[in-house]
Amino acid sequence: EEAIENEKEGTNKTKTWRFKAENVRDFAWASSRKFIWDAQGYSEKGVDTMAMSYYPKEGNPLWERYSTEAIIHTIEEYNKYSLQYPYPVSISVNGPVGGMEYPMITFNGPRPTLDKKTGEKTYSRRTKYGLIGVIIHEVGHNYYPMIVNSDERQWTWMDEGLNSFVEYLAAQAWEENYPSRRGPARNITNYMKSSYQVPIMTNSESILQFGNNAYGKPATALNILRETIMGRELFDYAFKEYAERWKFKRPTPADFFRTMEDASAVDLDWFFRGWFYTTDHVDISLDKVTKMHVGNQDPEVEKAWDREQFNKEPMDISDMRNKDMKRRTHDKPELLDFYNENDKFTVTNSDRNKYNGSQKKLEDWQLELLKNGKNMYAVDFSNKGGLVMPIILKLVYTDGSDEVVRTSAQIWRKNTEKVSKLLVTDKEIASIELDPYWETADVDVNNNYWPQRAIESRLQLYKRKKSKSLMEKYNQKLKTDKDEKKDAEKTKKAA
Ligand SMILES: [Zn+2]
């Protein structure tokens, strides 16, 4: 009510406000006679912060419902993953600015739309999450780069990328199925395989595809580090250590990379080199599966197996056609002898003697391995995209059960182009799926299956409109006002 009263007229009177702040690198302020003021306190570990929102009535009902709550949510979540918010206030202002950050104050644009004819106010799903998302993002900038004071003009990813990553974590803590665009691995694949790009480690002035390069890709890379490479516990510890170590200081990229490594004791050089210094993408292909047979040297078993493999071969085309051919030996069976009854798969006493002798030379563990009857598979992979990543396999067994087997990216350390993984299983494998949860940003999942799967595609059954030639377009009659009216009526009827 006070705000509605205030907005009726302006004033010529002057008033002086003096602002004082500690540990800030920039400042901003806002004033308007239309402002509604909404505030709520937040207290954590002895630090009291007043979260405040300033907006005109045009911002409602979105702003009264979400703004102050989103500020507090941001502080609560960012405190978990970064450092404790140190300032006495955090302000969210609705005005003409779409989204901009300053220490303790942010400007956030989204508002409902007003139908001028009906006076009805509505907002889209996009506007709702646009508002919550931009407030989390801009308030999040207090941490990066206002406090962890990186050089945003040099390395945009150090504030926008890190902030977009924590924004993703905070948004997911807002509600289930929050529609986050940046963070999930699968959302970055189109950008990763695009040709018009530069590495993340590019000076801000020279970046191509700014949003994907400095916001989306680093945020996704960090999420993959957390979920797939390091695990949440180790990642969260190292990531927080970076914020604690570098608050109110001037970190460079190397400081971030080094802290993530030495706080976790995990070698991440390969990851940072691939994801931050190149434009390679992830495309690992599951090329081949070889089912291996542990030879136990027993001739009775081995030669039977050899015969089985031989019998699996298709019949020679001539043999097939000669099947009913009259042969000389049909009439003269006396021409058949020992070699017609025994083939190369016949077990001889010589074989048996050799086997009995060799068994005595084997160690116990070797005899055990020969007896246990495990299934062995050599699975071959090739690296088509350039980035090495862990190999995550979902094994489905012939009895219908399944299991996920994870192998670290170090499997690629001696050969970054091709590797083989040996699987030893009790049960027989029916199928294998590479990266079953789409967590590595593999840009082509069609080569991730054994046996290979058919690619699902939709055939459209309607005809595409034939485009007109330049001459047809040129000769088209120019429409008069009357024609336009007719067209409008036609579409009205159709609607
Ligand atoms: Zn930003």
Side-chain angles (χ1 to χ4, degrees):
E1 276 169 31
E2 198 185 333
I4 288 170
E5 193 54 40
N6 284 346
E7 78 171 3
K8 283 182 184 155
E9 54 186 310
T11 176
N12 293 324
K13 288 184 209 153
T14 62
K15 196 168 197 174
T16 305
W17 289 87
R18 288 197 175 81
F19 296 97
K20 184 176 179 299
E22 273 164 31
N23 285 327
V24 293
R25 58 176 224 170
D26 202 350
F27 80 98
W29 61 282
S31 78
S32 166
R33 68 176 199 271
K34 290 177 68 70
F35 276 155
I36 296 167
W37 175 36
D38 174 43
Q40 193 182 327
Y42 178 75
S43 191
E44 188 179 321
K45 290 181 195 144
V47 179
D48 294 328
T49 300
M50 189 59 82
M52 296 185 271
S53 302
Y54 293 87
Y55 48 92
K57 64 179 189 298
E58 285 77 7
N60 279 333
L62 272 177
W63 273 72
E64 62 192 4
R65 186 173 298 155
Y66 294 123
S67 176
T68 307
E69 198 64 36
I71 298 172
I72 290 175
H73 180 73
T74 307
I75 294 175
E76 216 177 296
E77 292 300 317
Y78 274 64
N79 282 4
K80 272 188 218 163
Y81 299 108
S82 302
L83 46 89
Q84 175 147 5
Y85 189 80
Y87 300 128
V89 300
S90 182
I91 299 166
S92 164
V93 179
N94 182 228
V97 183
M100 189 46 71
E101 69 272 17
Y102 295 89
M104 292 184 256
I105 184 167
T106 61
F107 297 87
N108 303 298
R111 268 183 203 175
T113 38
L114 182 73
D115 188 317
K116 279 184 184 147
K117 275 184 203 153
T118 65
E120 194 189 13
K121 241 197 229 176
T122 56
Y123 56 88
S124 65
R125 183 180 164 79
R126 197 189 159 121
T127 304
K128 173 190 166 180
Y129 291 103
L131 178 64
I132 298 168
V134 75
I135 292 175
I136 296 175
H137 184 92
E138 305 309 340
V139 174
H141 271 307
N142 277 286
Y143 298 76
Y144 313 95
M146 300 303 160
I147 297 171
V148 179
N149 184 22
S150 59
D151 183 351
E152 59 196 284
R153 306 250 163 172
Q154 175 79 14
W155 305 114
T156 303
W157 69 267
M158 288 194 76
D159 63 306
E160 296 299 357
L162 269 60
N163 185 36
S164 297
F165 166 65
V166 190
E167 176 198 341
Y168 165 69
L169 298 180
Q172 291 306 308
W174 178 272
E175 68 183 31
E176 275 130 9
N177 302 317
Y178 185 100
S180 288
R181 195 159 47 103
R182 290 169 171 152
R186 69 189 66 182
N187 294 356
I188 201 70
T189 53
N190 278 337
Y191 167 68
M192 296 285 281
K193 67 185 172 195
S194 69
S195 53
Y196 187 67
Q197 54 166 315
V198 290
I200 292 175
M201 283 296 292
T202 299
N203 177 281
S204 185
E205 306 288 331
S206 309
I207 289 175
L208 304 173
Q209 301 196 58
F210 206 81
N212 282 323
N213 177 290
Y215 296 61
K217 186 177 169 185
T220 311
L222 294 177
N223 191 37
I224 290 174
L225 261 188
R226 181 173 189 253
E227 298 286 17
T228 304
I229 315 286
M230 299 168 75
R232 290 186 172 190
E233 198 183 346
L234 211 49
F235 177 93
D236 290 352
Y237 175 80
F239 191 76
K240 198 174 166 82
E241 177 66 19
Y242 165 73
E244 289 290 349
R245 241 181 231 185
W246 290 96
K247 61 184 175 190
F248 303 115
K249 292 183 186 148
R250 191 70 159 165
T252 61
D255 298 317
F256 176 71
F257 299 146
R258 204 177 292 126
T259 302
M260 290 305 291
E261 284 200 318
D262 72 28
S264 68
V266 179
D267 174 11
L268 300 170
D269 289 359
W270 61 273
F271 184 84
F272 291 128
R273 188 184 305 124
W275 281 78
F276 287 73
Y277 286 86
T278 79
T279 55
D280 288 347
H281 57 260
V282 179
D283 181 13
I284 299 174
S285 163
L286 196 173
D287 294 332
K288 197 171 76 181
V289 176
T290 308
K291 186 174 181 193
M292 293 194 297
H293 168 86
V294 188
N296 76 353
Q297 297 181 322
D298 181 345
E300 311 284 353
V301 178
E302 291 302 306
K303 286 202 162 170
W305 188 80
D306 288 342
R307 184 191 297 284
E308 198 186 313
Q309 300 312 307
F310 179 79
N311 288 340
K312 276 186 194 164
E313 291 178 11
M315 192 183 273
D316 178 83
I317 188 71
S318 300
D319 288 345
M320 207 187 289
R321 288 168 184 170
N322 288 344
K323 230 171 112 192
D324 299 323
M325 191 166 77
K326 182 123 183 77
R327 324 270 182 151
R328 177 160 298 274
T329 53
H330 290 170
D331 288 339
K332 296 186 172 177
E334 64 271 23
L335 295 178
L336 299 170
D337 78 344
F338 175 83
Y339 291 100
N340 296 101
E341 275 159 42
N342 295 287
D343 59 15
K344 57 181 173 175
F345 304 116
T346 300
V347 181
T348 66
N349 283 335
S350 162
D351 293 333
R352 291 184 185 107
N353 289 336
K354 210 165 128 196
Y355 170 65
N356 290 336
S358 72
Q359 286 304 93
K360 282 172 197 148
K361 288 180 207 149
L362 286 180
E363 312 251 351
D364 285 349
W365 67 269
Q366 289 170 313
L367 289 170
E368 190 58 36
L369 182 68
L370 288 176
K371 265 190 279 171
N372 73 12
K374 293 222 185 217
N375 297 288
M376 290 169 68
Y377 303 86
V379 191
D380 295 346
F381 301 93
S382 58
N383 176 358
K384 295 188 184 307
L387 293 184
V388 294
M389 286 300 268
I391 288 180
I392 303 150
L393 300 176
K394 181 178 179 186
L395 311 179
V396 179
Y397 298 107
T398 46
D399 67 0
S401 61
D402 60 60
E403 171 184 19
V404 173
V405 176
R406 290 173 176 267
T407 308
S408 79
Q410 269 71 18
I411 192 173
W412 300 95
R413 73 193 180 281
K414 287 183 179 159
N415 185 341
T416 56
E417 274 150 37
K418 278 183 184 307
V419 290
S420 269
K421 164 93 185 140
L422 180 69
L423 299 170
V424 182
T425 60
D426 291 327
K427 296 185 242 178
E428 200 180 335
I429 295 176
S431 67
I432 304 177
E433 186 177 349
L434 172 64
D435 193 13
Y437 310 123
W438 291 5
E439 61 187 282
T440 66
D442 193 319
V443 306
D444 179 8
V445 294
N446 288 318
N447 54 23
N448 288 11
Y449 300 98
W450 176 83
Q452 206 173 31
R453 286 191 187 179
I455 297 168
E456 300 284 347
S457 180
R458 178 182 285 133
L459 182 68
Q460 301 289 14
L461 290 179
Y462 54 82
K463 276 189 198 159
R464 224 166 103 190
K465 255 192 190 166
K466 216 179 121 207
S467 69
K468 286 182 176 142
S469 71
L470 178 67
M471 206 183 285
E472 281 177 287
K473 287 180 192 168
Y474 188 88
N475 291 340
Q476 203 172 66
K477 213 182 102 205
L478 197 63
K479 278 184 183 169
T480 61
D481 284 354
K482 233 169 137 190
D483 294 330
E484 296 277 8
K485 247 185 216 161
K486 257 191 223 159
D487 282 356
E489 256 155 48
K490 250 192 238 163
T491 46
K492 225 181 185 177
K493 267 181 208 161

